[in-house]
Every structure is written in C-alpha cells, then in structure tokens.
Amino acid sequence: MPQPPAPQPSAPRKSPGRPPRISREEVIGTARRIVTEEGVDRLTMRRLATEIGSTPMALYHHVRNKEELLVLLLDDYAARALRRPEPAADPRERVVAAAAAIHEALAACPWIVEVLTADDLMSASALWFVEQIVDGLVECGLSPEQAVHGYRAIWYYTAGEIVVRATAARRRADDDRTTYREQVFGNLDPAEVPRLAQVADRWTPLTGEDTYLDGLRALVTGLLAAH
C-alpha cells in the first residue's frame, strides 16, 4: 500500500505589516538626498521613514532624533569631501590651506553651512582642520584664546561667503528678471555716491568674481598684525 507523501515544511510566516530591515547607510543616503534636493527643513524623521518605506520607530534603532541624524550627515560628508592638505612649514600658510580646504568642500554643498550655522553642531571629522587653523595662529604669535577668536573670524568669513553666493545663485536660477539691486545701481546719482556710480555698470560682474583666497589672506594678515 503506497505511503502518503511526507508533509512539506511550511514557509515561515511573516508578521503582517512588519517594515523591512533597514541599514544605517540607507538612512544616511536617503537623508542626504532629501536635504540636497529640498533643504534641511524638509528633513523629518517621519518623512525619512516614509521615503525608506519603514516607520519612525524603526529609525530609532539607528538615530535617536533629527539632531543626531544631522551629525551623521556632517560626519559622512566630511569623510567623503574634506581633503587634508599637505601641512606647510609656514604656519600662516597652514592656516590659509586649512581654511581654503573647508571652503572648497562646503561651497559644493551649501546646505552643510546652513546646518553648521543654525545649530550647535559640528563634525568630529572636521576638527583636524580647526586644529590646523588654531595651531597655525598660535605659532604665528597669538595666544590660544586669540587663536580661537581668529578661527571664529575666519569661519564667519568663510560661511558668510558661501551663504551669500549660494543664495544669489539660487535666486538667479529661480528668476532671471532684473534684481532690485540692479535697478538701484542703474539709477545712481554721481553727485551723491560718485565712487559707486563710477563702477555701477560693472558692479555685478565685479562682486561675482571669486576673491575668497585674496580675502582670506588679507584677513589672516590683519589678525596677526593686530596682535
């Protein structure tokens, strides 16, 4: 008499509605895409979970809150984009090289500057560059306290230059009409503002030139001369 076929093992049952397993790399990559395309304000834990196809609760296994997520994004970008320059023998040149490296990396990703200036956040991976600036200023004769103030001035100049350029570029991309500034400069009274009237027709291209390094060197020279 033929034996009945042995029962086949049943496939493991899946809990309905369980979100897929996600990785930290996927979390960071999706968050980076959101802030790059839409801005930091559009990044929320709920939005991120929706984009990944998971739940906010699942994200908490990787990040506790938005602040920690932003720190991860800063570290991720710093590790990928910041390139350490070869330290120069001249401490003044070390300061300039470190600041220029920060500027080059952040100019390519202005939303990073928005995060750094809006919150008390920083990337641990970027501290090497801060060390180079502070140490270089100390070697040039500043006290550690003065060197910190010097770094702050350099950072304000660097961040401000990036923000102004990024904002202007975004506005030009969204609206090609004559700006209010161009209208004003087109009707300057030479008797009231003779110097501005002299360069009025060249103001836009002149202010659009990349003079960051010239300004940086002048700033460093001024910081050292003042002490």
Side-chain angles (χ1 to χ4, degrees), residues 7-140:
Q8 297 296 318
S10 58
R13 298 181 62 185
K14 296 182 178 179
S15 299
R18 175 175 295 176
R21 185 181 298 275
I22 57 177
S23 66
R24 173 168 289 200
E25 290 73 20
E26 185 178 9
V27 171
I28 294 175
T30 304
R32 183 170 62 242
R33 177 177 57 79
I34 292 173
V35 297
T36 300
E37 295 177 355
E38 303 181 39
V40 177
D41 291 341
R42 301 291 293 176
L43 177 63
T44 65
M45 299 295 280
R46 184 175 298 278
R47 167 72 186 281
L48 180 60
T50 300
E51 291 284 332
I52 295 176
S54 185
T55 65
M57 187 61 65
L59 291 180
Y60 296 138
H61 292 292
H62 300 283
V63 290
R64 290 173 295 180
N65 48 46
K66 180 177 177 178
E67 181 175 285
E68 184 175 318
L69 178 59
L70 290 174
V71 171
L72 287 176
L73 285 176
L74 292 176
D75 282 335
D76 171 70
Y77 187 76
R80 291 184 297 106
L82 277 174
R83 298 290 177 264
R84 295 185 178 186
E86 191 68 31
D90 182 356
R92 183 189 302 242
E93 287 305 310
R94 288 209 306 272
V95 172
V96 171
I102 293 174
H103 178 269
E104 180 181 2
L106 297 186
C109 196
W111 68 262
I112 293 284
V113 179
E114 180 183 346
V115 172
L116 293 173
T117 55
D119 296 292
D120 187 24
L121 302 177
M122 66 167 51
S123 167
S125 303
L127 291 181
W128 182 89
F129 296 85
V130 180
E131 169 71 15
Q132 296 303 304
I133 294 174
V134 173
D135 180 65
L137 293 175
V138 170
E139 286 199 29
C140 286

Side-chain angles (χ1 to χ4, degrees), residues 184-204 206:
V184 171
F185 270 68
N187 296 281
L188 291 179
D189 181 359
E192 179 72 18
V193 284
R195 293 300 185 192
L196 293 182
Q198 184 181 12
V199 296
D201 60 337
R202 293 174 289 146
W203 186 268
T204 297
L206 284 173

